[in-house]
């Protein structure tokens, strides 16, 4: 079944006019359902009626920046979903997707001529909020808008889970894996700040292809590979390669056991001295190659980070405690939003029926069934003939349907009992 965008009949239109794009009705419905699903995922965890300010720094919520109220050169500010509707409905907004630990700024001292309609009793500033160039509609290391009218290269934007900025795939220093192969990304700058993550890359990160930018860089990569091969040869000659492999497999097996972020110490790994071993320290004893690239991580990788006392202290000093919280992930937020919306979503037909008496309910159901049956039969003709459904065809159907309905109503006779 086909549905044409627009309404002109190709046969009766102007000669030489470009053909209208044609898509299947199933494609339209599928695309609409996908858009609704994405909207539920991103917005579902946020309240669209009440300002989130009273909740304090919300763990994760959909945020917007208003360029009408806070233009470049002024202090950046972020507003919640409800305020974007109620207080900034006619303004130009930048969609920031979601950010963690943020409190709504709408109407505070950063907004000179606007008072929040939903929660006017706000403090002057939210000192705990973090801001970046995203609040001015700029993204990535190139600091360009998205979508960028001057960028003709199709490229996927990926969000860093640490700084929460968005990056073009081509500006990450390596070719990103297929989107289905990884769930989270840490950008180059954040990998430099969180250098401990390099120790986990060989065990957890999704492999990527490094972009070699010069012959000198290429020689460095080759020299590293040659050194690794030489080390393997030495181990074979000394007869220690087999024992090394057994030891490495034991370490990997111990490492792959899931850890929890609730305890203050790592799960005890039994060694000859029966002392607990820090996973990070154990991995750091192995040679790891640090690159000036972003890294990509699969689902549940956070649960495998070490949670010993020293590592927890390090996370706190680096202000990345959220890395051991799997509920911090955007995926967890989207899943919660989707499940909450599915629970709350109600069929509008059922809502209408519940507000009617019994006679009205029967009449509405009959009308609905008549419309569904006649529309299905009408559209089936187009599907069988392989022809396009045009706007005037749909208009004609409803005009005829209303006409038939009026004729049926006029023939009805009413009697008092």
């Amino acid at each position: 079944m086909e549905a044409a965008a627009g309404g002109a009949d190709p046969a009766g239109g102007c000669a030489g006019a470009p053909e209208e794009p044609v898509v299947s009705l199933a494609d339209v419905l599928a695309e609409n359902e996908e858009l609704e699903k994405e909207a539920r995922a991103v917005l579902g965890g946020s309240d669209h009626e009440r300002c989130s300010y009273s909740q304090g720094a919300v763990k994760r919520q959909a945020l917007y920046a208003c360029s009408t109220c806070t233009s470049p050169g002024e202090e950046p500010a972020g507003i919640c979903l409800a305020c974007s509707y109620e207080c900034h409905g006619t303004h130009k907004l930048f969609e920031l997707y979601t950010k963690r630990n943020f409190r709504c700024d709408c109407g505070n001292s950063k907004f000179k001529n606007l008072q929040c309609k939903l929660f006017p009793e706000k403090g002057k500033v939210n000192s705990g909020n973090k801001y970046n160039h995203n609040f001015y509609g700029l993204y990535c290391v190139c600091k360009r808008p998205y979508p960028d009218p001057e960028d003709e290269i199709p490229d996927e934007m990926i969000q860093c889970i640490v700084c929460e900025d968005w990056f073009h795939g081509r500006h990450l220093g390596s070719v990103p894996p297929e989107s289905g192969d990884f769930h989270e990304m840490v950008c180059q700058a954040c990998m430099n700040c969180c250098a401990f993550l390099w120790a986990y890359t060989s065990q957890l990160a999704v492999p990527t292809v490094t972009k070699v930018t010069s012959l000198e860089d290429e020689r460095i990569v080759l020299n590293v590979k040659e050194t690794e091969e030489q080390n393997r040869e030495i181990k074979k000659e000394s007869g220690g390669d087999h024992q090394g492999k057994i030891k490495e497999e034991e370490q990997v097996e111990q490492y792959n056991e899931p850890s929890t972020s609730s305890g203050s110490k790592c799960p005890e790994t039994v060694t000859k001295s029966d002392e607990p071993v820090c996973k990070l320290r154990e991995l750091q004893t192995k040679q790891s190659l640090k690159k000036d690239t972003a890294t990509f991580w699969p689902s549940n990788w956070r649960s495998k980070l070490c949670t010993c006392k020293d590592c927890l202290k390090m996370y706190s000093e680096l202000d990345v405690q959220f890395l051991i919280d799997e509920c911090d992930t955007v995926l967890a937020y989207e899943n919660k939003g989707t499940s909450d919306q599915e629970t709350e979503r109600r069929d509008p037909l059922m809502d209408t029926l519940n507000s009617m008496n019994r006679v009205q309910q029967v009449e509405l159901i009959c009308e609905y069934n008549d419309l569904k049956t006649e529309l299905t039969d009408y559209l089936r003709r187009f599907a069988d003939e392989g022809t396009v459904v045009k706007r005037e065809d749909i208009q004609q159907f409803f005009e005829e349907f209303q006409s038939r309905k009026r004729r049926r109503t006029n023939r009805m006779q009413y009697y008092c009992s």
Side-chain angles (χ1 to χ4, degrees):
M1 196 183 322
E2 305 289 327
D9 187 348
C14 297
E19 292 185 2
E20 297 177 345
V22 177
V23 295
S24 70
L25 195 57
D27 289 339
V28 173
L29 295 175
E31 182 179 0
N32 185 64
E33 176 61 27
E34 186 63 27
L35 290 174
E36 288 185 2
K37 182 179 179 181
E38 291 179 5
R40 291 196 300 270
V42 177
L43 306 179
S46 301
D47 194 328
H48 66 280
E49 295 180 343
R50 291 177 289 273
C51 176
S52 64
Y53 182 85
S54 60
Q55 303 175 41
V58 179
K59 191 169 186 175
R60 185 172 290 283
Q61 63 176 318
L63 286 179
Y64 300 82
C66 181
S67 67
T68 303
C69 296
T70 54
S71 57
E74 299 181 0
E75 287 189 88
I79 59 177
C80 68
L81 177 64
C83 287
S84 74
Y85 292 153
E86 186 67 26
C87 307
H88 304 264
T90 60
H91 297 180
K92 180 181 178 182
L93 302 178
F94 297 125
E95 184 177 1
L96 305 178
Y97 196 53
T98 71
K99 291 189 182 293
R100 67 171 64 89
N101 301 331
F102 198 94
R103 196 173 195 182
C104 180
D105 286 322
C106 180
N108 66 12
S109 61
K110 295 186 176 185
F111 295 81
K112 299 176 181 178
N113 301 314
L114 181 138
Q115 184 181 47
C116 181
K117 299 177 182 178
L118 300 176
F119 201 103
E121 304 85 14
K122 285 187 171 74
K124 290 185 177 181
V125 293
N126 295 312
S127 58
N129 287 354
K130 293 182 179 180
Y131 307 90
N132 60 12
H133 53 250
N134 293 171
F135 289 82
Y136 299 116
L138 304 175
Y139 307 90
C140 191
V141 292
C142 61
K143 295 185 179 180
R144 295 292 303 170
Y146 182 84
D148 187 351
E150 298 180 8
D151 187 4
E152 298 180 355
I153 303 175
D155 199 354
E156 181 181 11
M157 295 288 282
I158 307 173
Q159 188 180 35
C160 172
I161 63 166
V162 179
C163 66
E164 297 191 296
D165 191 6
W166 291 82
F167 297 84
H168 295 100
R170 63 184 185 275
H171 292 159
L172 292 173
S174 60
V175 178
E178 293 293 331
S179 58
D181 294 341
F182 72 96
H183 285 260
E184 297 187 300
M185 182 273 289
V186 180
C187 72
Q188 294 162 284
C190 291
M191 283 302 296
N192 291 332
C193 295
C194 305
F196 71 92
L197 287 176
W198 284 112
Y200 290 96
T201 54
S202 61
Q203 295 284 347
L204 298 178
V206 179
T208 60
V209 178
T210 303
K211 292 181 179 178
V212 178
T213 57
S214 67
L215 291 175
E216 183 179 356
D217 292 340
E218 187 174 5
R219 283 196 294 271
I220 292 174
V221 175
L222 292 174
N223 287 338
V224 170
K225 291 183 178 178
E226 290 172 0
T227 303
E228 291 176 348
E229 291 176 357
Q230 291 171 359
N231 289 338
R232 292 194 193 99
E233 292 296 328
I234 294 172
K235 286 182 180 179
K236 288 181 180 179
E237 292 176 2
S238 62
D241 186 55
H242 180 65
Q243 295 178 355
K245 284 184 177 179
I246 294 176
K247 184 177 180 181
E248 184 177 347
E249 288 174 359
E250 291 175 352
Q251 291 175 344
V252 171
E253 184 177 355
Q254 294 169 355
Y255 175 79
N256 283 336
E257 293 179 1
S259 65
T260 61
S261 57
S262 58
S264 60
K265 293 184 178 180
C266 295
E268 293 189 359
T269 304
V270 179
T271 61
K272 290 184 179 179
S273 59
D274 293 329
E275 294 180 356
V277 177
C278 172
K279 290 180 181 179
L280 176 60
R281 194 176 298 118
E282 182 178 325
L283 288 172
Q284 286 174 334
T285 60
K286 303 177 182 179
Q287 185 178 4
S288 60
L289 180 62
K290 296 183 180 180
K291 305 174 184 178
D292 187 22
T293 67
T295 53
F296 304 86
W297 306 85
S299 60
N300 301 325
W301 71 279
R302 298 190 187 204
S303 66
K304 297 180 174 63
L305 296 179
C306 184
T307 55
C308 71
K309 183 177 180 180
D310 291 339
C311 285
L312 290 177
K313 181 181 178 182
M314 175 185 64
Y315 301 148
S316 179
E317 292 173 348
L318 294 173
D319 197 21
V320 292
Q321 305 96 315
F322 53 83
L323 284 179
I324 54 175
D325 180 9
E326 290 194 83
C327 293
D328 168 79
T329 65
V330 173
L331 180 62
Y333 169 85
E334 291 181 345
N335 288 340
K336 182 180 182 303
T338 301
S339 61
D340 290 349
Q341 286 286 312
E342 289 295 342
T343 301
E344 296 174 2
R345 284 175 74 199
R346 303 184 62 181
D347 189 338
L349 178 60
M350 295 304 299
D351 287 340
T352 304
L353 284 173
N354 290 333
S355 66
M356 295 179 170
N357 60 40
R358 180 64 178 170
V359 175
Q360 291 173 324
Q361 288 178 351
V362 173
E363 290 178 348
L364 178 60
I365 292 174
C366 290
E367 290 290 341
Y368 174 79
N369 287 333
D370 287 344
L371 174 62
K372 183 175 68 173
T373 301
E374 294 191 29
L375 182 59
T376 301
D377 293 341
Y378 181 76
L379 293 177
R380 184 177 292 115
R381 300 203 318 260
F382 292 87
D384 293 341
E385 298 171 2
T387 54
V388 174
V389 181
K390 298 183 290 295
R391 180 180 300 174
E392 54 264 33
D393 293 326
I394 299 299
Q395 292 175 342
Q396 180 184 350
F397 167 80
F398 280 104
E399 289 174 359
E400 293 178 352
F401 179 79
Q402 290 294 338
S403 177
R404 289 192 296 272
K405 179 182 176 182
R406 284 193 294 269
R407 288 197 297 270
R408 288 197 302 268
T409 303
N410 292 336
R411 287 197 301 267
M412 292 179 64
Q413 297 181 8
Y414 297 90
Y415 300 92
C416 294
S417 58

